[in-house]
């Protein structure tokens, strides 16, 4: 073992440095891919004189990436748990409501992130990165809100063949994660007018809910 | 400029080395990601004594990756052009036929590749890699067969709002590319029994066609 994290409560300066490293890494990875950026370049771009800053604050590149993912998941979860809790009182949950809970919390988070942002592309890259994909699915898509949605939502686990349910879940995840990344990319590159970012996110949200309802009914039958 | 490719027709030995480098790179990139493998490691794993073998045969890492993508596209195109040509004689093309032409040529190619294989994961990673994504979409998904399918297939370009058509196209591409990569990953890691690989590819093909028909009808309306 080499350096470990600070034992005392982190100083304000340390918190700031950590935050700067996370935002810098997210941006550089989103723009250049995991292959295009070294840990040293992240430290330098974040204004850290010490080249082992990433190691000091996050132990490793993967530790840094996981911390960024956790931060993103927490932002989405804050919106989603409120929406899913609100479904509890309803007698029946429609497929539209179900996918509203899945998609709209991301839409809100991406609108709050502003333009340009990097989190959607970062997330999409992590989901196809061999060393990270299982982690992303397990730790970051298995949140309390999604657990609750599985219990009270429109798609009941007991009625559907497990292998078909797993395939369906994978399709829903991949379609939404990569569609969000695509719009973020288009906004960052001016292919979609940044002045219309908020409207574009809302439209994508509606299109995704429509597409997912159609895909689900076709694949799983009427629910 | 440094080294350039050979001017004379390549020797048998050169062709073999080139092929070995391509197969090795595809495997290593699929397993470890673009960030996890250096060009030098590819040369070594391919048994090349010369560390600049990749540079000599492909000019650069990106040249190597593009050549692997072209090879994969050519294999799929061979199946697809035959299927799309066969639709020419039909009065009407159903949405099932349309997506059959899109999905089944990939299914055939992945079955031919055997188990374990690496091409689906390699392709999915290239599609989210910032430096490659536009190239993948432009050069490798705009093939003659897909152009012809756009003319005679079930989804006619003139009837649909261009922005909605573009969004739909992106969704179809992302859903299929990442679903193929997922099954290849599951087969390589024993989560799906390799002895049932062929059956699994056929099932995925059918599920994808079903899902895409539902998604398309929901998003674009009855066609």
């Amino acid at each position: 073992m080499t350096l470990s994290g600070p034992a005392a409560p982190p100083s304000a300066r340390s918190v700031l440095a950590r935050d700067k490293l996370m935002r810098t890494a997210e941006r550089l990875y989103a723009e250049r891919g995991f292959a295009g950026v070294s840990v040293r370049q992240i430290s330098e771009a974040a204004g850290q004189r010490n080249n082992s800053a990433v190691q000091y604050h996050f132990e490793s590149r993967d530790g840094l990436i996981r911390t960024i993912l956790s931060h993103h998941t927490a932002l989405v979860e804050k919106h989603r748990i409120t929406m899913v809790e609100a479904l509890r009182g309803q007698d029946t949950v429609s497929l539209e409501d179900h996918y509203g809970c899945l998609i709209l919390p991301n839409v809100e988070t991406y609108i709050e992130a502003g333009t340009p942002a990097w989190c959607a592309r970062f997330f999409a890259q992590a989901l196809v990165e061999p060393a990270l994909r299982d982690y992303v699915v397990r730790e970051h898509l298995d949140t309390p809100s999604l657990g609750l949605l599985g219990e009270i939502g429109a798609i009941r686990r007991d009625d559907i063949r497990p292998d078909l349910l797993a395939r369906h879940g994978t399709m829903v995840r991949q379609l939404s994660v990569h569609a969000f990344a695509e719009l973020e990319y288009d906004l960052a590159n001016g292919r979609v007018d940044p002045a219309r970012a908020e409207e574009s996110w809302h439209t994508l949200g509606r299109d995704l809910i429509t597409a997912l309802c159609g895909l689900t009914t076709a694949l799983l039958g009427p629910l």
Side-chain angles (χ1 to χ4, degrees), chain A:
Chain A
M1 300 300 293
T2 49
L3 293 166
S4 66
S11 65
R13 185 171 164 173
S14 173
V15 171
L16 282 175
R18 198 178 147 87
D19 186 59
K20 185 80 189 288
L21 283 165
M22 285 168 65
R23 284 184 288 116
T24 305
E26 184 183 72
R27 173 171 60 81
L28 293 179
Y29 282 139
E31 288 179 346
R32 305 190 204 158
F34 292 125
V37 191
S38 69
V39 157
R40 187 189 176 120
Q41 287 170 322
I42 292 168
S43 291
E44 284 175 2
Q48 295 292 307
R49 290 199 191 152
N50 186 343
N51 284 329
S52 8
V54 167
Q55 203 178 358
Y56 176 76
H57 288 282
F58 305 97
E59 291 192 6
S60 65
R61 182 200 82 137
D62 283 4
L64 167 62
I65 292 174
R66 287 172 192 210
T67 309
I68 299 169
L69 289 168
S70 293
H71 177 72
H72 176 73
T73 302
L75 293 177
V76 176
E77 181 68 3
K78 196 185 62 181
H79 292 294
R80 187 178 286 132
I81 196 71
T82 313
M83 284 190 73
V84 180
E85 290 282 0
L87 286 186
R88 268 189 197 271
Q90 290 185 207
D91 285 343
T92 57
V93 174
S94 71
L95 209 48
E96 282 77 10
D97 283 344
H98 183 102
Y99 282 124
C101 285
L102 213 64
I103 297 301
L104 299 180
N106 286 295
V107 166
E108 289 306 313
T109 307
Y110 293 130
I111 289 172
E112 286 165 6
T115 300
W118 298 272
C119 41
R121 285 171 284 171
F122 179 86
F123 201 75
Q125 286 176 34
L127 187 61
V128 299
E129 182 75 3
L132 292 166
R133 55 188 297 161
D134 283 345
Y135 177 81
V136 172
V137 173
R138 201 175 56 245
E139 299 290 325
H140 291 277
L141 300 171
D142 283 356
T143 52
S145 65
L146 293 184
L148 183 57
L149 189 63
E151 287 168 32
I152 67 169
I155 301 171
R156 298 305 171 90
R157 293 183 180 160
D158 6 332
D159 303 345
I160 306 161
R161 251 180 34 231
D163 59 324
L164 192 58
L165 194 66
R167 167 143 304 152
H168 171 262
T170 304
M171 286 185 176
V172 170
R173 181 165 62 240
Q174 288 169 336
L175 190 62
S176 46
V177 168
H178 294 292
F180 289 132
E182 193 83 11
L183 177 54
E184 190 189 81
Y185 180 82
D186 286 346
L187 282 164
N189 290 279
R191 296 181 188 181
V192 172
D193 183 0
R196 299 177 62 188
E198 186 166 344
E199 179 192 339
S200 303
W201 284 111
H202 284 304
T203 305
L204 173 59
R206 277 194 302 275
D207 287 348
L208 267 174
I209 293 170
T210 303
L212 290 170
C213 287
L215 178 156
T216 299
T217 307
L219 202 61
L220 306 184
L223 295 166

